[in-house]
Structure formats: C-alpha cells, structure tokens
Amino acid sequence: MRKDYLAFFVSMFLSRLADQILLFIVPLIVFQTTQSVSWAGLAFFVESLPRFLSFPICGALCDKFSPIRILHISQVYRAVMCIAAVVLFMIFGGIYWIVALSAVCGVLTTQGIMAREVVMPYIFKHYTYTKTLSYSQIADQTGLVLGPLIAALMLEVWAWHWVVLAIAVLFLLADLAMLFWQRTSAVTLETFEQHHDVWLNPLRIAFGHIRNLAELKKIIGLAVGVNLIIGVTLATSAAMVIGEYSAGKDYYAWLQAAGAVTTIIILFFLARVTLPLRVLGSVSYTLIAAGAFITALSPTVWGYIVGFLLIVGFDKMFNVYIRSIRQQVIPARDFGKTVGVITLLNNLSQPLAGLLVALLAAPVGTQQVILLLALATSLIGITVVAFFSKTAGMPAGYGADTDA
C-alpha cells in the first residue's frame, strides 16, 4: 500500500481507537457506579444526541471550508477536551465529567467523520469507491477490535480519568499521522462556490435533494430502522452482559472485540467480492433485524452473543450500501451538506432508543424493550420496501444491478 494511503488509514484507526475507548468506558463507568440500566441508557442518550444533531452544520462546514483543516481541528480539540475533563474532575470530582466529555467529543467526532466523508472520493484514485469504503471501514473496525480490549486492560490498572488522558494522546497521534499524509500526498480537492451562511440555505438545498431523490428517501427510512437496533444494542449491551447474564467486564470487552472482528471479516469479503447493492441492502437489514430478535428472546448469554454479532457485523455492510448510493446520486457541490442532514435523520433513532431504554427498562424489562424495537424495525423495513415497490418498482441502487 502507498505511504500516503497507509498514513490516512493509520490516522483513521488511531482516531477511531480513541473514540471507541471513550464510548466503551462511559456506559460501563455509569453502570458500575449506579448499578442502573436506566442511568446507563440516559448516559447513552446524553452522549449520542449531540453528535447526531451536529451532522448538518458539520456537513455544511465541510463544503464551505477545507475539510482537511476541519479534520485537524477535530482531532486536536478532542485531545484538549480530554485534558480539560480530567482537570475539572480533579478539581470538582463526579462522574458527570466523563459524560459531558463524551457529548462534546461526539460533536467533534462528527466533524471528523464528515470531513473524511468529503475527502475520501478524492484520495484513493486507484480504488473503486466501494473498495475505498471497505478498506476505510476495516481501519475503523480495527479500532473497534482493540478499543474495548485496551480499555478493559487500562481500567484494570488505572482509574478512568487516567484512561481519558491516554485517549488524548491517541487523538494527537492521529493528527500527526494526518500531517504525514498531507506531506506525502499530492491530492487536490475540488472546491465549489458556496453561500455565506452555513445554516438555512444548506438545509434548504439538502432537503431539496432528499425531497426530489427517491433513493435518498428510501435509504433514510431503512437507516432509521437499523439505527433503532444499533442504539438499543449500544445502550444495553453492558447491562445485558454484566447484569442480566452476570458476566464480567472482561467478557464484555471480548464480546465487543468479537463483534468488530466479525465486521472486519465481512468488510474484507466486500473488498474482494462484487455484489449488487440490492443484495447488500436486503441481506444486511434482514440479518440485523434477526439479530435483534435473538438478543431479545435468548435465555442464555450464548444466544445473546449470536444476536449481537449479527447486529454489529452486518451494520457496516448496510453502511457500505447506503454510502454507495449517496455517492451515486448526490451532486458533488452539495455532498457535505446533504450527507450531514441525511446522517442526522438516519441516526436520530439511536438516541431515541437510548431514551426508551431509560424510560422503559425498569418497568417492563430490558429484553422486552429490545423486542419492542426489533418489531418496530421489522415494520419499518416492510413498510419502506412496500411503499417504494408500489411507487417506483424498486429505487435506483437498491433494486438495480449496480455493483457494490
């Protein structure tokens, strides 16, 4: 692999590793401190909602300003916020600093995600876009593999605030890798004239594309269903493994790592094998929904593992599907702002799932909440497919023979 390609992937890996360690320790620390599934669900809601609400503005900023500079800002400021949170904890105490840190870093992570989304089509000229997505997500998922394991090892010997300082170091190393990529790459980004504001006009343009393009409406509907399952899984997995099945945090870390390994295997398969987009969409959505039913109904931890691996493993296959369609149909000059709005709409169901866990886990039970959302996801999928089958046969991309 070329040095500039490798540097970009290394930066993505380190940034994802740091972000994943933070995501791993927040619900774990909250649950271990409070022994409450509801509080863990509320913590997930608080940390996830800001990162999703910020997608439209971050997307518009990437169309208006240099996405590479925005990426640097994202990584450096996340390191600064980690250090600030530790200082505030040492002065005032309390675990709420780690929840607040996760919320702020979530917004900055969104900024970095959108910047990478905009620059990736210009970086890997020797790869197809689908292969680029597969390889970039392999780097991303490698961070997911190591993040929980490293977090668990760190928490064995350090208090959580020292782990946060280590996260700051990883963000700085990710930025150094980006600087090396800039020096070794000859990439020239295409720029477009933009309106002065980054609020109302970008939103108007983005919603105009969504209104006029049936492909975008369909993938938004399907993504809402998938993210209900992803949200409830993220919000409850620690409580299910450690609380419901009485396994330890090390077991939980290995489960997270196994999910990431499963995802990497699937992504390597997608990077080597050409599949129609309709296969990617239908297979991934169906197996994610099936995984949710298994986690909701399994009486043992082994059944939960099977369902969990189906959910997290095929989530990235679904991600390749929707990102490939977005790249095909959205005009380049409006790509950032439109993807920002789409991602917000896609992911609002994640914090909603966390809020539902916070409200319903105590009165009805955690597995019953998962079952309720699995039924909702199935209903959404059937409704969306049926609606677009009647109006347009099958939307372009989903039912076409376009290669993935």
Side-chain angles (χ1 to χ4, degrees), residues 281-294 307 310-311 314 317:
S282 59
V283 168
S284 57
Y285 195 96
T286 301
L287 291 179
I288 289 169
F293 280 107
I294 293 172
L310 285 174
I311 292 168
F314 285 93
M317 176 185 281

Side-chain angles (χ1 to χ4, degrees), residues 276-350:
L277 288 183
R278 67 159 182 259
V279 173
L280 295 182
S282 59
V283 168
S284 57
Y285 195 96
T286 301
L287 291 179
I288 289 169
F293 280 107
I294 293 172
T295 59
L297 299 173
S298 175
T300 68
V301 70
W302 296 108
Y304 183 86
I305 290 172
V306 172
F308 182 89
L309 293 181
L310 285 174
I311 292 168
V312 301
F314 285 93
D315 173 45
K316 293 303 180 183
M317 176 185 281
F318 184 79
N319 191 265
V320 169
Y321 158 68
I322 62 174
R323 290 171 73 184
S324 297
I325 291 181
R326 288 188 324 215
Q327 181 65 22
Q328 289 176 4
V329 302
I330 299 173
R333 66 177 295 117
D334 301 325
F335 189 76
K337 62 179 71 72
T338 306
V339 169
V341 171
I342 290 172
T343 307
L344 169 64
L345 298 175
N346 289 353
N347 288 285
L348 279 177
S349 54
Q350 278 200 38

Side-chain angles (χ1 to χ4, degrees), residues 34 53-54 59 92-93 96 124 129 150-151 174 179 188 193 201 203 234 273 281 292 295 301 304 356 381:
T34 66
L53 290 178
S54 61
F92 300 105
Y96 38 83
F124 304 99
Y129 187 64
I150 292 175
L179 289 172
T188 301
E193 184 179 354
N201 199 62
L203 289 174
L234 290 173
V273 178
T295 59
V301 70
Y304 183 86
L356 290 173

Side-chain angles (χ1 to χ4, degrees), residues 94-346:
I95 65 168
Y96 38 83
W97 296 113
I98 191 174
V99 179
L101 168 66
S102 184
V104 174
C105 282
V107 175
L108 294 169
T109 296
T110 297
Q111 191 178 39
I113 289 171
M114 287 307 310
R116 283 196 176 93
E117 188 83 16
V118 171
V119 302
M120 273 202 302
Y122 302 96
I123 295 175
F124 304 99
K125 297 296 186 182
H126 296 87
Y127 296 161
T128 65
Y129 187 64
T130 301
K131 181 176 283 191
T132 296
L133 292 178
S134 296
Y135 280 129
S136 66
Q137 290 194 78
I138 287 170
D140 185 79
Q141 290 301 304
T142 304
L144 282 174
V145 172
L146 297 179
L149 298 178
I150 292 175
L153 290 174
M154 285 180 174
L155 289 173
E156 288 290 337
V157 296
W158 292 340
W160 68 260
H161 53 281
W162 297 115
V163 177
V164 171
L165 287 180
I167 292 171
V169 173
L170 288 173
F171 281 130
L172 292 175
L173 290 174
D175 198 58
L176 288 176
M178 276 298 299
L179 289 172
F180 180 81
W181 168 77
Q182 280 186 272
R183 293 181 179 180
T184 56
S185 174
V187 170
T188 301
L189 296 181
E190 188 176 2
T191 58
F192 303 95
E193 184 179 354
Q194 300 289 331
H195 295 273
H196 293 295
D197 72 281
V198 293
W199 293 98
L200 296 179
N201 199 62
L203 289 174
R204 179 184 62 80
I205 294 171
F207 278 109
H209 290 313
I210 294 169
R211 183 177 62 252
N212 295 326
L213 297 172
E215 298 94 330
L216 297 184
K217 289 195 285 284
K218 174 156 187 165
I219 62 174
I220 288 170
L222 293 175
V224 166
V226 165
N227 281 308
L228 279 175
I229 302 305
I230 300 302
V232 74
T233 302
L234 290 173
T236 62
S237 57
M240 288 294 294
V241 173
I242 298 173
E244 183 73 21
Y245 299 115
S246 301
K249 66 177 183 295
D250 292 340
Y251 194 97
Y252 175 58
W254 280 108
L255 176 62
Q256 296 285 331
V261 169
T262 302
T263 304
I264 290 174
I265 293 171
I266 292 171
L267 289 171
F268 267 119
F269 173 78
L270 295 179
R272 297 285 192 271
V273 178
T274 299
L275 294 175
L277 288 183
R278 67 159 182 259
V279 173
L280 295 182
S282 59
V283 168
S284 57
Y285 195 96
T286 301
L287 291 179
I288 289 169
F293 280 107
I294 293 172
T295 59
L297 299 173
S298 175
T300 68
V301 70
W302 296 108
Y304 183 86
I305 290 172
V306 172
F308 182 89
L309 293 181
L310 285 174
I311 292 168
V312 301
F314 285 93
D315 173 45
K316 293 303 180 183
M317 176 185 281
F318 184 79
N319 191 265
V320 169
Y321 158 68
I322 62 174
R323 290 171 73 184
S324 297
I325 291 181
R326 288 188 324 215
Q327 181 65 22
Q328 289 176 4
V329 302
I330 299 173
R333 66 177 295 117
D334 301 325
F335 189 76
K337 62 179 71 72
T338 306
V339 169
V341 171
I342 290 172
T343 307
L344 169 64
L345 298 175
N346 289 353

Side-chain angles (χ1 to χ4, degrees), residues 11-151:
S11 176
M12 179 180 289
F13 160 71
L14 291 173
S15 182
R16 182 55 166 169
L17 177 64
D19 191 51
Q20 183 61 25
I21 293 173
L22 187 60
L23 285 173
F24 176 84
I25 66 175
V26 171
L28 182 60
I29 295 300
V30 171
F31 179 72
Q32 288 183 329
T33 303
T34 66
Q35 293 299 306
S36 169
V37 178
S38 295
W39 279 110
L42 184 60
F44 175 76
F45 172 75
V46 171
E47 71 172 335
S48 59
L49 184 62
R51 72 171 59 205
F52 297 136
L53 290 178
S54 61
F55 266 106
I57 183 66
C58 290
L61 288 172
C62 288
D63 283 342
K64 188 174 180 63
F65 302 105
S66 167
I68 296 175
R69 178 172 175 77
I70 288 175
L71 189 51
H72 283 302
I73 291 172
S74 166
Q75 289 166 165
V76 171
Y77 275 70
R78 275 182 282 176
V80 171
M81 290 299 103
C82 287
I83 296 170
V86 172
V87 172
L88 290 169
F89 167 77
M90 290 181 173
I91 296 173
F92 300 105
I95 65 168
Y96 38 83
W97 296 113
I98 191 174
V99 179
L101 168 66
S102 184
V104 174
C105 282
V107 175
L108 294 169
T109 296
T110 297
Q111 191 178 39
I113 289 171
M114 287 307 310
R116 283 196 176 93
E117 188 83 16
V118 171
V119 302
M120 273 202 302
Y122 302 96
I123 295 175
F124 304 99
K125 297 296 186 182
H126 296 87
Y127 296 161
T128 65
Y129 187 64
T130 301
K131 181 176 283 191
T132 296
L133 292 178
S134 296
Y135 280 129
S136 66
Q137 290 194 78
I138 287 170
D140 185 79
Q141 290 301 304
T142 304
L144 282 174
V145 172
L146 297 179
L149 298 178
I150 292 175

